Amino acid sequence: MLPLQIHLTLPPWIGEVADTNKRYQSDEERVGLAIELSRQNVDRAGGGPFGAAVFNDHSGRLVAVGVNRVVPQGCSLAHAEILAMMIAQQRLGRHRLNEDGGHYVLATSSQPCCQCYGASVWAGIDELLIGARTEDVEELTEFDEGPLPSDWIGELTRRHIAVRRDILRDEARDVLTAYATSGPSY
């Protein structure tokens, strides 16, 4: 018999880092949370050095978070951004987050790879906030981020997804460096 469901989980420490009662108003607070999630994921051997969070922009409330869980979950799709968007969709009960007219922000510790870039187009994200760039990830680690359109920011902009990058870039790079020097710690 074929399996009829999948089961992906976040590490139990997530609640210690992600505060659902806090209002995250600034881009730096939002990306800062994504970076802290990535740092904790490395420090606690939860997976790769990537963290993401989805926010309701109007209220500043945290909707969902994700961290890289590819190796621990045995699933190449278990990227931080994918998990954050999936959990946000599940929590809100809709496949497009912004179909209620709300404005939703995805904050990432590092620029989304080709998989997460594509998913953000369909998930109902209105704004993408990025810490480290793809070139940082590929320079500092052995990750291959895959191909993106040459004008990936323009493609998102044409789809009404605003992009802001290099937010706390040095802090995000520090996590990537720590991961690379300590070796994978799944």
Side-chain angles (χ1 to χ4, degrees), residues 53-119:
V54 174
F55 299 91
N56 179 308
D57 190 40
H58 299 304
S59 70
R61 295 285 187 192
L62 177 63
V63 179
V65 300
V67 293
N68 180 281
R69 300 287 287 159
V70 169
V71 173
Q73 298 287 298
C75 178
S76 64
L77 302 176
H79 290 199
E81 298 91 336
I82 298 291
L83 292 175
M85 289 184 284
M86 287 173 62
I87 292 167
Q89 290 166 335
Q90 183 180 44
R91 185 170 183 201
L92 298 176
R94 52 184 179 264
H95 70 284
R96 284 196 60 81
L97 298 174
N98 60 4
E99 74 181 13
D100 69 341
H103 188 92
Y104 291 88
V105 176
L106 174 63
T108 64
S109 62
S110 296
Q111 181 178 317
C113 68
C114 60
Q115 169 184 270
C116 298
Y117 165 84

Side-chain angles (χ1 to χ4, degrees), residues 11-57:
W13 53 262
I14 289 289
E16 298 170 24
V17 177
D19 184 352
T20 56
N21 294 314
K22 179 180 177 180
R23 291 182 186 265
Y24 296 82
Q25 299 294 357
S26 73
D27 293 350
E28 289 74 19
E29 287 178 298
R30 294 170 181 182
V31 173
L33 174 60
I35 293 169
E36 183 58 25
L37 289 164
S38 70
R39 179 180 287 106
Q40 291 296 325
N41 206 40
V42 171
D43 291 349
R44 297 178 187 230
F50 304 102
V54 174
F55 299 91
N56 179 308
D57 190 40

